[in-house]
Amino acid sequence: MITITPVSRALVPVNSKAAARISTRNYDEFQGDDEIWNFVQANPTSVLGITMPQCDVPSLNDIGKEDLATSLTRAKLNMAELIKGDLTREIKNILWAYEIEDPRHSKGPQIGLGGMARTDQIRTEATPQGSIIRNEGIREGKARGRADIIKATNTIIGTVNNAIDDVSGAIQATLRAHADSTSPDFEVTDSRDVQHRVWILDDPTTIAFFIQLFSQEPHAYVADGNHRSAAAVMLGYENFLTVFFPAETMNIYPYNRLVSEVEDLNPEILSAVAKKFEVTELFGTKTYQPTETHQIGIYSAEKGWMRLCPLPETFDPKNAVDAIDANIVQRNLFSEIFGIEDPGDPRLTFVGSNKDVVWLQDAVDEGRAAYAVTLAAVTMEQFIEVCRQNRRMPPKSTWFEPKIRSGLVMALL
């Protein structure tokens, strides 16, 4: 079962104009500290100055020069200023309906329920029957960084995105009916024309109804925010901030790669590649972003685009992780041919769908990378099957979009 509980003390924008000034893309949607610094300079009231305080410094050259204590003190001060300012208000004991409408989203708007989830329901080695199933490993340093921010500010800002089965459709239907019957408390349209709408739910009867409804859900699957949930566990907290979305309404987009400091596609390398993949040169193709599983693109300045289709012996189709294209590429191309055994190797750069194929090609043509590698999006069925087999997704293999916007609902501790 899944337990959802209200946020006992929630900090929210006072209205839609305030929401636009406070909220932002989450920190891990930015392509590096330089991009975050530029955003904070242009949007000094956004929560990014709290969640990434090391980037809230006078100049780009100052990033990384101060110690952790100084950065955390700045986060604490920025949070205190946000709480006492006129852009926010505190409300108690609430859930919220959260709708995201992306013009690219063929399934229409997705709507979910926000609240607090229990850390003791996360499936781990110590809790193998846990009903909230993670899909990737946890890097302790990354989780510790999120935990440090939470502890310094006494606030949870980062929200975990959970998928649920909602087989009956009752959760989606109830949320949809509420959203259609009343105006949102606040809404924001982001820079990509994605609309984010929030309805505050504070009626005790409504809250009790959803708590009971969620108790019938057997599992939830962490779609985005594994380290945010891990940070709450690390701090010994009972709960973490989350939104649960019905899985069928969610979209997964491609997660591509750049490869640097490796050999050119010389005849020896091409021969090695051909032992693992069926290779097709895509003469005259300007861009190539695969849309079908087991079709992989690779781009070099010399050869242009080629399509790689993994040979049958390169993966086990019964193993849900083994058959993920990101894993196939890591084992059979990066590790065996380029000698990049660790996905965390700095020669690999993971690029989410907030950057398109043209951006990837430019990185290669301008000499910032040797190759661009493009992968088809993981399907929702693949994602859930990995979770059900109690396995871990390859690093940076699922880019869920649209993403939860940071700073719309925060939990004061």
Side-chain angles (χ1 to χ4, degrees), residues 36 47-57 66 68 70-76 78 146 149:
I36 292 174
V47 296
L48 203 59
I50 301 167
T51 59
M52 292 294 285
Q54 69 271 26
C55 296
D56 185 17
V57 290
E66 64 186 17
L68 177 60
T70 302
S71 289
L72 293 177
T73 297
R74 182 179 302 108
K76 180 178 180 179
N78 287 347
R146 293 301 98 201
I149 296 293

Side-chain angles (χ1 to χ4, degrees), residues 33 41 52 84 141 168 176 179 198 279 281 285 292 296 328 365 394 408:
D33 286 352
Q41 292 297 305
M52 292 294 285
K84 72 179 182 181
S168 71
R176 183 77 273 148
V198 171
V279 181
E281 295 193 38
T285 299
E292 295 183 26
I296 297 156
I328 293 171
D365 292 339
L408 291 176

